[in-house]
Amino acid sequence: MQSLWMLVASLLFSIMGVCVKLSSDYYSTAEVVLCRGLVGMAVIIGLIRIKGGTLKTPFPRDHMIRGGIGVISLWLWFYSFSLLPVATATTLNYMSSIWIAVMLFGAAWWQGKKRFEWGLAGTVVLSFIGVALLMHPSITADEMLGGSIALFSGVLSALVYLQVRKLGLLGEPEYRVVFYFSFTGFLAGVAGCIVTGSLPFWHDHDVRGVALIVTIGLTATLAQIAMTRAYRLGNTLVTANLQYTGIVFASLWGLLIWGDAPGWRGWAGIAIILLSGIVSTFYNHRSQQASKNLPPVDPIASEV
């Protein structure tokens, strides 16, 4: 199933998250966003030179929407790490899958002509319960601002994923979608660095810091390609549900690097997330088998 590309993306995003946390000792959020975009553009241009392709697109407006919303969401999420515990910031941002289900339900209700996939939506909710058990987030009174920022970043992420799905169905190749997002992030990073006076070229560098920032760019770019493929070719709700595996990967990295053992409740959450992913994949496969003999439908309309 093409949705399983999200597993690859989640693993790479979890590695990126570890590097973002470690790089905070060397670079500001603006510098991280700038360098992530710069490395992403370099990687895509290299792939085009090797395998061919073009950056010319017939959908500049859609790329602007995806890039603009995506960069704002990314910036808010990175910034929330400075205001909240990692567990809380990550959990609130990963509510994006819940928001996707809500948006698809709202679209289905508004159009009144398409059946909503309640079974798949249920597995998304089940996965979030697993995330809550694993991360056991908490917000104190002085963390309300950070919580609101992380929550809003999740809402924007949901819009981004649906826009990625739309671009994929319009026929845009993954590399082009990722390039324009990287380009938008690069410009936003430059603007942020100028405002804060923290351009990465204006201060000394450490080998470890440079290695981290390059790894962030590489893993983010490859993860974006895998994620775009998953949303383009797979079922939206299944892909959104599999995104929760990123929490599992992040928790395992925390255990290996920082010795943060999940505890019995955390392991129960991991089991629920994995079970939900298996159930959603099986459910979607059964639905596809049942619909093989049905007349073809518009792929975009079928999502709602």
Side-chain angles (χ1 to χ4, degrees):
M1 285 182 54
Q2 300 297 339
S3 293
L4 295 178
W5 276 102
M6 195 65 215
L7 292 177
V8 178
S10 295
L11 174 60
L12 292 170
F13 276 133
S14 71
I15 297 173
M16 182 206 74
V18 170
C19 293
V20 168
K21 181 176 177 62
L22 294 173
S23 68
S24 62
D25 294 333
Y26 305 92
Y27 299 102
S28 66
T29 300
E31 290 175 300
V32 172
V33 173
L34 184 158
C35 293
R36 169 180 161 149
L38 183 62
V39 173
M41 289 191 298
V43 170
I44 297 301
I45 291 174
L47 289 175
I48 290 176
R49 290 182 65 88
I50 294 173
K51 294 190 172 183
T54 177
L55 294 176
K56 185 177 180 181
T57 175
F59 310 110
R61 179 176 174 273
D62 291 290
H63 282 290
M64 288 179 61
I65 294 173
R66 185 265 184 270
I69 298 176
V71 167
I72 294 173
S73 172
L74 181 70
W75 203 301
L76 290 175
W77 186 36
F78 284 179
Y79 180 63
S80 70
F81 280 113
S82 65
L83 303 175
L84 295 170
V86 173
T88 304
T90 303
T91 303
L92 291 174
N93 178 266
Y94 268 64
M95 279 192 70
S96 58
S97 296
I98 298 290
W99 299 126
I100 288 175
V102 170
M103 291 173 186
L104 291 180
F105 171 77
W109 176 82
W110 180 260
Q111 293 186 4
K113 59 181 181 180
K114 293 292 178 182
R115 180 178 62 86
F116 183 68
E117 297 177 289
W118 288 104
L120 291 179
T123 62
V124 173
V125 176
L126 181 62
S127 282
F128 186 74
I129 293 173
V131 170
L133 283 172
L134 174 60
M135 307 300 284
H136 47 85
S138 61
I139 296 180
T140 60
D142 58 345
E143 293 175 337
M144 291 302 296
L145 175 61
S148 300
I149 291 174
L151 187 66
F152 186 54
S153 74
V155 176
L156 293 180
S157 292
L159 292 173
V160 167
Y161 297 142
L162 292 176
Q163 184 67 13
V164 167
R165 170 73 172 175
K166 178 184 177 183
L167 280 166
L169 292 175
L170 288 172
E172 281 290 79
E174 290 87 358
Y175 72 85
R176 199 180 294 158
V177 176
V178 175
F179 176 84
Y180 284 110
F181 174 60
S182 298
F183 179 65
T184 307
F186 171 74
L187 294 180
V190 169
C193 287
I194 292 175
V195 171
T196 60
S198 59
L199 277 172
F201 310 106
W202 292 354
H203 61 74
D204 295 331
H205 296 274
D206 181 272
V207 174
R208 186 168 183 262
V210 173
L212 287 169
I213 210 75
V214 171
T215 303
I216 289 171
L218 289 174
T219 53
T221 302
L222 296 175
Q224 287 284 332
I225 292 174
M227 182 200 73
T228 303
R229 177 173 287 267
Y231 273 105
R232 178 170 71 90
L233 301 175
N235 179 281
T236 302
L237 286 177
V238 174
T239 303
N241 192 22
L242 292 175
Q243 181 184 350
Y244 282 123
T245 57
I247 292 287
V248 178
F249 291 130
S251 299
L252 294 178
W253 287 123
L255 176 62
L256 292 173
I257 298 174
W258 292 284
D260 296 332
W264 72 266
R265 185 165 57 178
W267 290 116
I270 289 176
I272 290 175
I273 294 170
L274 295 177
L275 176 63
S276 177
I278 293 172
V279 171
S280 66
T281 303
F282 173 78
Y283 180 93
N284 184 58
H285 177 72
R286 188 179 65 177
S287 297
Q288 288 179 336
Q289 291 295 111
S291 61
K292 275 187 175 180
N293 296 325
L294 295 178
V297 296
D298 174 52
I300 298 180
S302 67
E303 289 298 324
V304 295

